[in-house]
Amino acid sequence: MIERGSVAFGTSQVAYSVVRSTRREKTVEITVAGPGEIVVAAPVGTPLARLETIVGRRAGWILRHGGLAESRAAVPCFATGESLPYLGRRVRLFVRQSPERGVEVRFQHWQFDVRVWRELRDEPRRLAVRAAFVEWYRGRAIELVLEHVGRLAKVLGVTPTRTLVRDQRHRWGSCSPDGVLRFNWRIVMAPPALLDYVVIHELAHLRVRTHRPAYWALVAKAAPDYRERRDQLRMLGPMLDF
């Protein structure tokens, strides 16, 4: 008999099937076989409540890997009245046609003023506006991430060799063995406290490479509420895109 369960994720439900095996002693493995096809492989005696907790913690990962395609961030048309996230707030778009080629994005008074070449139509128009927004967000990410890294590196007593902003779809940040930090430009869509958490997470790896207790103790030094921030990022993360 196949066991099934589901957990709430935002306004949606993450449904999954449970496959138990006598060969498994402790580990629980989650596999995304396709949209809406999540399989949880577990030891025979693992309580369903425990599996529900594990799936809930991994819901953001499941969504990012296509397990809940219908709940991903809505694909915008980039029209007046729509909004995009920035620093934890929704910013309304005001779009105008322009005789000038290309697309220009301006941010003022917590509104996006977008000028779009009037000859652009349909999907080419959408892609051109999206590219302009990606460029805008990357620019803000470079400024804000460098600012946060500089401030928080002093708190943790570390010095990265270099800080870069990249298009990392499946991770918010990374720390390479040579001390180079890389961050996903989308992180500036999140509230500042979550941006801080991601920066702290990677800076701490400059001193402790693995996620052992000493590592989390270092993270807690700069963010005592890191667990709450981590959970919030898991919840909001999949929605921070366009």
Side-chain angles (χ1 to χ4, degrees):
M1 181 177 179
I2 298 178
E3 297 174 274
R4 301 185 186 279
S6 67
V7 296
F9 184 83
T11 59
S12 302
Q13 292 289 318
V14 179
Y16 58 92
S17 301
V18 179
V19 177
R20 297 184 182 274
S21 172
T22 56
R23 296 182 180 180
R24 287 184 174 273
E25 296 182 357
K26 296 181 179 180
T27 61
V28 173
E29 182 179 1
I30 298 176
T31 302
V32 178
E37 299 179 23
I38 299 96
V39 179
V40 180
V44 173
T46 308
L48 279 174
R50 172 61 178 162
L51 298 180
E52 181 177 321
T53 299
I54 293 173
V55 173
R57 290 176 178 172
R58 301 297 305 278
W61 177 89
I62 291 169
L63 190 151
R64 289 196 298 275
H65 286 76
L68 198 63
E70 67 275 15
S71 292
R72 290 185 179 180
V75 177
C77 297
F78 299 108
T80 294
E82 290 184 318
S83 63
L84 295 174
Y86 178 55
L87 293 179
R89 296 173 59 177
R90 300 296 302 187
V91 182
R92 186 174 181 271
L93 277 64
F94 186 70
V95 185
R96 306 179 188 182
Q97 290 191 347
S98 170
E100 303 294 329
R101 285 180 174 270
V103 179
E104 181 182 15
V105 175
R106 293 182 180 180
F107 175 75
Q108 48 191 359
H109 308 299
W110 284 95
Q111 176 178 289
F112 284 124
D113 185 9
V114 187
R115 307 295 177 92
V116 183
W117 183 37
R118 61 192 177 198
E119 298 299 323
L120 285 172
R121 295 286 188 276
D122 303 322
E123 187 65 3
R125 173 194 175 281
R126 193 189 72 81
L127 293 176
V129 177
R130 183 186 185 280
F133 267 106
V134 170
E135 182 179 357
W136 186 88
Y137 274 98
R138 285 178 67 103
R140 302 296 78 72
I142 291 171
E143 295 175 6
L144 291 171
V145 167
L146 287 175
E147 174 189 322
H148 286 239
V149 167
R151 172 171 53 84
L152 293 166
K154 296 178 182 177
V155 175
L156 295 176
V158 297
T159 304
T161 57
R162 195 177 180 191
T163 301
L164 305 172
V165 171
R166 293 288 185 263
D167 187 2
Q168 302 183 146
R169 286 188 172 275
H170 301 303
R171 57 172 56 186
W172 293 112
S174 62
C175 175
S176 62
D178 60 358
V180 176
L181 304 183
R182 294 175 175 82
F183 295 94
N184 186 333
W185 59 263
R186 295 169 181 81
I187 192 56
V188 295
M189 295 182 175
L194 303 190
L195 169 56
D196 266 1
Y197 166 71
V198 171
V199 170
I200 292 166
H201 187 105
E202 301 311 328
L203 286 171
H205 277 309
L206 293 174
R207 288 179 57 182
V208 185
R209 295 299 304 175
T210 60
H211 293 109
R212 58 180 185 266
Y215 168 82
W216 292 113
L218 186 59
V219 171
K221 177 181 178 182
D225 62 341
Y226 75 86
R227 291 182 179 86
E228 289 78 9
R229 299 195 201 191
R230 181 178 59 193
D231 291 344
Q232 186 180 4
L233 184 60
R234 285 172 175 168
M235 180 68 71
L236 291 178
M239 308 305 170
L240 302 179
D241 203 354
F242 54 76

